[in-house]
Amino acid sequence: MNGSELKALYNASVSDCHRALMQEYGRYVYSIVFNKLRLCGTREDIEECFSDVFADIFIKLDDNELMEGDIKALIGTVAKRTAIDRFRSLTAAQKHIISTDDEDMERLASDISVEAHAEGSELRRLLLSKIRELGEPDATILIQKYYYNLKSEEIAGNVSMTASSVRSRCTRAMEKLRVKLAEIGITE
């Protein structure tokens, strides 16, 4: 549709002109708006922005601004600028609003215990420290056995020992570790 066709249609019937513009450029405008707002807006935001674009286009049509030049380029520019403005307002609003839905807050409160997490982290740090004090290859054997759940045969290949040697070293290393942990007050 060019400017002269649009002008003739507008002079014949304004509502038919509006309908023809919506039919010809509706998908084009929707795709521009959707691509700008899909990550931050709801379906209602996209539809509202789409309506705002055509309201602005109809105003420009009444002021004869649309009758001159490339219609598709003007409609695309209006759609893009309107969608960018809506994007900015939506993202600005989202930065200032924190959703505190009851369900989300309940899950957050029940799933995260800062105190338990801190205690667990400290206990793991102490345990690894005491395991390292055992020296090699005992530390490697214990870590691979209890942290990585490897079998004695797999560990034997990693530390160049037989599987039976790994089992006996693991048993002795566990006894040494129990003594070291008891010294700092950690018992079973």
PDB file of all heavy atoms in Angstrom, residues 113-129 147 181 186:
ATOM      1  N   SER A 113      18.756 -22.608  55.096  1.00  0.00           N
ATOM      2  CA  SER A 113      19.091 -22.324  56.479  1.00  0.00           C
ATOM      3  C   SER A 113      20.540 -21.859  56.497  1.00  0.00           C
ATOM      4  O   SER A 113      21.464 -22.664  56.334  1.00  0.00           O
ATOM      5  CB  SER A 113      18.910 -23.567  57.347  1.00  0.00           C
ATOM      6  OG  SER A 113      19.461 -23.343  58.623  1.00  0.00           O
ATOM      7  N   VAL A 114      20.732 -20.584  56.678  1.00  0.00           N
ATOM      8  CA  VAL A 114      22.069 -20.013  56.635  1.00  0.00           C
ATOM      9  C   VAL A 114      22.934 -20.611  57.739  1.00  0.00           C
ATOM     10  O   VAL A 114      24.095 -20.948  57.520  1.00  0.00           O
ATOM     11  CB  VAL A 114      22.000 -18.470  56.752  1.00  0.00           C
ATOM     12  CG1 VAL A 114      23.380 -17.869  56.826  1.00  0.00           C
ATOM     13  CG2 VAL A 114      21.219 -17.896  55.586  1.00  0.00           C
ATOM     14  N   GLU A 115      22.358 -20.779  58.907  1.00  0.00           N
ATOM     15  CA  GLU A 115      23.108 -21.316  60.039  1.00  0.00           C
ATOM     16  C   GLU A 115      23.578 -22.749  59.762  1.00  0.00           C
ATOM     17  O   GLU A 115      24.748 -23.085  59.969  1.00  0.00           O
ATOM     18  CB  GLU A 115      22.229 -21.296  61.292  1.00  0.00           C
ATOM     19  CG  GLU A 115      22.950 -21.717  62.545  1.00  0.00           C
ATOM     20  CD  GLU A 115      22.043 -21.628  63.762  1.00  0.00           C
ATOM     21  OE1 GLU A 115      21.071 -20.859  63.732  1.00  0.00           O
ATOM     22  OE2 GLU A 115      22.326 -22.325  64.730  1.00  0.00           O
ATOM     23  N   ALA A 116      22.696 -23.590  59.258  1.00  0.00           N
ATOM     24  CA  ALA A 116      23.054 -24.979  58.953  1.00  0.00           C
ATOM     25  C   ALA A 116      24.084 -25.034  57.827  1.00  0.00           C
ATOM     26  O   ALA A 116      25.021 -25.836  57.878  1.00  0.00           O
ATOM     27  CB  ALA A 116      21.818 -25.779  58.581  1.00  0.00           C
ATOM     28  N   HIS A 117      23.938 -24.162  56.846  1.00  0.00           N
ATOM     29  CA  HIS A 117      24.889 -24.118  55.736  1.00  0.00           C
ATOM     30  C   HIS A 117      26.274 -23.713  56.234  1.00  0.00           C
ATOM     31  O   HIS A 117      27.280 -24.309  55.845  1.00  0.00           O
ATOM     32  CB  HIS A 117      24.397 -23.148  54.657  1.00  0.00           C
ATOM     33  CG  HIS A 117      25.300 -23.050  53.479  1.00  0.00           C
ATOM     34  ND1 HIS A 117      25.489 -24.091  52.608  1.00  0.00           N
ATOM     35  CD2 HIS A 117      26.090 -22.035  53.044  1.00  0.00           C
ATOM     36  CE1 HIS A 117      26.348 -23.724  51.673  1.00  0.00           C
ATOM     37  NE2 HIS A 117      26.724 -22.476  51.916  1.00  0.00           N
ATOM     38  N   ALA A 118      26.322 -22.713  57.103  1.00  0.00           N
ATOM     39  CA  ALA A 118      27.603 -22.256  57.648  1.00  0.00           C
ATOM     40  C   ALA A 118      28.256 -23.340  58.493  1.00  0.00           C
ATOM     41  O   ALA A 118      29.460 -23.575  58.393  1.00  0.00           O
ATOM     42  CB  ALA A 118      27.402 -20.984  58.467  1.00  0.00           C
ATOM     43  N   GLU A 119      27.466 -24.014  59.338  1.00  0.00           N
ATOM     44  CA  GLU A 119      28.006 -25.098  60.161  1.00  0.00           C
ATOM     45  C   GLU A 119      28.529 -26.234  59.297  1.00  0.00           C
ATOM     46  O   GLU A 119      29.599 -26.785  59.554  1.00  0.00           O
ATOM     47  CB  GLU A 119      26.937 -25.632  61.118  1.00  0.00           C
ATOM     48  CG  GLU A 119      26.634 -24.712  62.269  1.00  0.00           C
ATOM     49  CD  GLU A 119      25.513 -25.240  63.143  1.00  0.00           C
ATOM     50  OE1 GLU A 119      25.130 -26.418  63.013  1.00  0.00           O
ATOM     51  OE2 GLU A 119      25.023 -24.458  63.963  1.00  0.00           O
ATOM     52  N   GLY A 120      27.766 -26.593  58.265  1.00  0.00           N
ATOM     53  CA  GLY A 120      28.196 -27.658  57.361  1.00  0.00           C
ATOM     54  C   GLY A 120      29.472 -27.297  56.626  1.00  0.00           C
ATOM     55  O   GLY A 120      30.367 -28.130  56.465  1.00  0.00           O
ATOM     56  N   SER A 121      29.592 -26.055  56.197  1.00  0.00           N
ATOM     57  CA  SER A 121      30.795 -25.612  55.501  1.00  0.00           C
ATOM     58  C   SER A 121      32.007 -25.653  56.418  1.00  0.00           C
ATOM     59  O   SER A 121      33.085 -26.089  56.018  1.00  0.00           O
ATOM     60  CB  SER A 121      30.613 -24.185  54.972  1.00  0.00           C
ATOM     61  OG  SER A 121      29.633 -24.142  53.990  1.00  0.00           O
ATOM     62  N   GLU A 122      31.834 -25.217  57.641  1.00  0.00           N
ATOM     63  CA  GLU A 122      32.933 -25.225  58.609  1.00  0.00           C
ATOM     64  C   GLU A 122      33.349 -26.657  58.939  1.00  0.00           C
ATOM     65  O   GLU A 122      34.537 -26.967  59.021  1.00  0.00           O
ATOM     66  CB  GLU A 122      32.526 -24.479  59.881  1.00  0.00           C
ATOM     67  CG  GLU A 122      33.606 -24.408  60.936  1.00  0.00           C
ATOM     68  CD  GLU A 122      34.844 -23.635  60.505  1.00  0.00           C
ATOM     69  OE1 GLU A 122      34.784 -22.849  59.543  1.00  0.00           O
ATOM     70  OE2 GLU A 122      35.890 -23.831  61.134  1.00  0.00           O
ATOM     71  N   LEU A 123      32.391 -27.540  59.102  1.00  0.00           N
ATOM     72  CA  LEU A 123      32.691 -28.942  59.391  1.00  0.00           C
ATOM     73  C   LEU A 123      33.445 -29.590  58.226  1.00  0.00           C
ATOM     74  O   LEU A 123      34.435 -30.296  58.429  1.00  0.00           O
ATOM     75  CB  LEU A 123      31.397 -29.703  59.687  1.00  0.00           C
ATOM     76  CG  LEU A 123      31.555 -31.161  60.106  1.00  0.00           C
ATOM     77  CD1 LEU A 123      32.352 -31.264  61.398  1.00  0.00           C
ATOM     78  CD2 LEU A 123      30.191 -31.800  60.277  1.00  0.00           C
ATOM     79  N   ARG A 124      33.007 -29.316  56.991  1.00  0.00           N
ATOM     80  CA  ARG A 124      33.709 -29.853  55.818  1.00  0.00           C
ATOM     81  C   ARG A 124      35.129 -29.327  55.732  1.00  0.00           C
ATOM     82  O   ARG A 124      36.064 -30.051  55.409  1.00  0.00           O
ATOM     83  CB  ARG A 124      32.939 -29.513  54.533  1.00  0.00           C
ATOM     84  CG  ARG A 124      31.774 -30.439  54.254  1.00  0.00           C
ATOM     85  CD  ARG A 124      31.199 -30.217  52.862  1.00  0.00           C
ATOM     86  NE  ARG A 124      30.591 -28.919  52.673  1.00  0.00           N
ATOM     87  CZ  ARG A 124      29.363 -28.606  53.069  1.00  0.00           C
ATOM     88  NH1 ARG A 124      28.611 -29.495  53.675  1.00  0.00           N
ATOM     89  NH2 ARG A 124      28.881 -27.401  52.862  1.00  0.00           N
ATOM     90  N   ARG A 125      35.307 -28.038  56.035  1.00  0.00           N
ATOM     91  CA  ARG A 125      36.643 -27.444  55.994  1.00  0.00           C
ATOM     92  C   ARG A 125      37.561 -28.111  57.010  1.00  0.00           C
ATOM     93  O   ARG A 125      38.708 -28.471  56.705  1.00  0.00           O
ATOM     94  CB  ARG A 125      36.557 -25.939  56.263  1.00  0.00           C
ATOM     95  CG  ARG A 125      37.878 -25.205  56.059  1.00  0.00           C
ATOM     96  CD  ARG A 125      37.812 -23.774  56.535  1.00  0.00           C
ATOM     97  NE  ARG A 125      37.581 -23.645  57.962  1.00  0.00           N
ATOM     98  CZ  ARG A 125      38.495 -23.897  58.909  1.00  0.00           C
ATOM     99  NH1 ARG A 125      39.686 -24.313  58.578  1.00  0.00           N
ATOM    100  NH2 ARG A 125      38.204 -23.729  60.185  1.00  0.00           N
ATOM    101  N   LEU A 126      37.061 -28.307  58.231  1.00  0.00           N
ATOM    102  CA  LEU A 126      37.854 -28.973  59.270  1.00  0.00           C
ATOM    103  C   LEU A 126      38.179 -30.415  58.885  1.00  0.00           C
ATOM    104  O   LEU A 126      39.312 -30.884  59.066  1.00  0.00           O
ATOM    105  CB  LEU A 126      37.110 -28.958  60.608  1.00  0.00           C
ATOM    106  CG  LEU A 126      37.100 -27.643  61.369  1.00  0.00           C
ATOM    107  CD1 LEU A 126      36.141 -27.719  62.556  1.00  0.00           C
ATOM    108  CD2 LEU A 126      38.495 -27.297  61.850  1.00  0.00           C
ATOM    109  N   LEU A 127      37.196 -31.122  58.367  1.00  0.00           N
ATOM    110  CA  LEU A 127      37.389 -32.511  57.983  1.00  0.00           C
ATOM    111  C   LEU A 127      38.451 -32.634  56.895  1.00  0.00           C
ATOM    112  O   LEU A 127      39.366 -33.468  56.992  1.00  0.00           O
ATOM    113  CB  LEU A 127      36.062 -33.117  57.531  1.00  0.00           C
ATOM    114  CG  LEU A 127      36.075 -34.590  57.151  1.00  0.00           C
ATOM    115  CD1 LEU A 127      36.513 -35.447  58.330  1.00  0.00           C
ATOM    116  CD2 LEU A 127      34.702 -35.016  56.671  1.00  0.00           C
ATOM    117  N   LEU A 128      38.363 -31.814  55.867  1.00  0.00           N
ATOM    118  CA  LEU A 128      39.363 -31.856  54.796  1.00  0.00           C
ATOM    119  C   LEU A 128      40.748 -31.479  55.306  1.00  0.00           C
ATOM    120  O   LEU A 128      41.758 -32.057  54.882  1.00  0.00           O
ATOM    121  CB  LEU A 128      38.951 -30.945  53.638  1.00  0.00           C
ATOM    122  CG  LEU A 128      37.851 -31.489  52.738  1.00  0.00           C
ATOM    123  CD1 LEU A 128      37.379 -30.428  51.752  1.00  0.00           C
ATOM    124  CD2 LEU A 128      38.328 -32.718  51.994  1.00  0.00           C
ATOM    125  N   SER A 129      40.806 -30.543  56.215  1.00  0.00           N
ATOM    126  CA  SER A 129      42.090 -30.153  56.812  1.00  0.00           C
ATOM    127  C   SER A 129      42.727 -31.330  57.531  1.00  0.00           C
ATOM    128  O   SER A 129      43.928 -31.595  57.388  1.00  0.00           O
ATOM    129  CB  SER A 129      41.861 -28.979  57.760  1.00  0.00           C
ATOM    130  OG  SER A 129      42.966 -28.793  58.592  1.00  0.00           O
ATOM    131  N   TYR A 147      34.551 -39.090  49.116  1.00  0.00           N
ATOM    132  CA  TYR A 147      34.005 -37.927  48.427  1.00  0.00           C
ATOM    133  C   TYR A 147      33.573 -38.270  47.004  1.00  0.00           C
ATOM    134  O   TYR A 147      32.595 -37.753  46.501  1.00  0.00           O
ATOM    135  CB  TYR A 147      35.018 -36.772  48.398  1.00  0.00           C
ATOM    136  CG  TYR A 147      35.025 -35.961  49.667  1.00  0.00           C
ATOM    137  CD1 TYR A 147      35.798 -36.334  50.755  1.00  0.00           C
ATOM    138  CD2 TYR A 147      34.232 -34.826  49.796  1.00  0.00           C
ATOM    139  CE1 TYR A 147      35.800 -35.597  51.927  1.00  0.00           C
ATOM    140  CE2 TYR A 147      34.218 -34.086  50.956  1.00  0.00           C
ATOM    141  CZ  TYR A 147      35.011 -34.480  52.028  1.00  0.00           C
ATOM    142  OH  TYR A 147      34.992 -33.743  53.175  1.00  0.00           O
ATOM    143  N   LEU A 181      40.170 -36.110  64.793  1.00  0.00           N
ATOM    144  CA  LEU A 181      38.906 -35.384  64.965  1.00  0.00           C
ATOM    145  C   LEU A 181      38.484 -35.359  66.437  1.00  0.00           C
ATOM    146  O   LEU A 181      37.923 -34.354  66.906  1.00  0.00           O
ATOM    147  CB  LEU A 181      37.800 -36.034  64.108  1.00  0.00           C
ATOM    148  CG  LEU A 181      37.958 -35.867  62.601  1.00  0.00           C
ATOM    149  CD1 LEU A 181      36.898 -36.669  61.853  1.00  0.00           C
ATOM    150  CD2 LEU A 181      37.902 -34.411  62.195  1.00  0.00           C
ATOM    151  N   ILE A 186      35.395 -33.402  67.742  1.00  0.00           N
ATOM    152  CA  ILE A 186      34.398 -33.919  66.796  1.00  0.00           C
ATOM    153  C   ILE A 186      34.368 -35.428  66.941  1.00  0.00           C
ATOM    154  O   ILE A 186      35.350 -36.120  66.717  1.00  0.00           O
ATOM    155  CB  ILE A 186      34.741 -33.532  65.345  1.00  0.00           C
ATOM    156  CG1 ILE A 186      34.746 -32.015  65.198  1.00  0.00           C
ATOM    157  CG2 ILE A 186      33.746 -34.162  64.383  1.00  0.00           C
ATOM    158  CD1 ILE A 186      35.181 -31.519  63.842  1.00  0.00           C
TER     159      ILE A 186
END
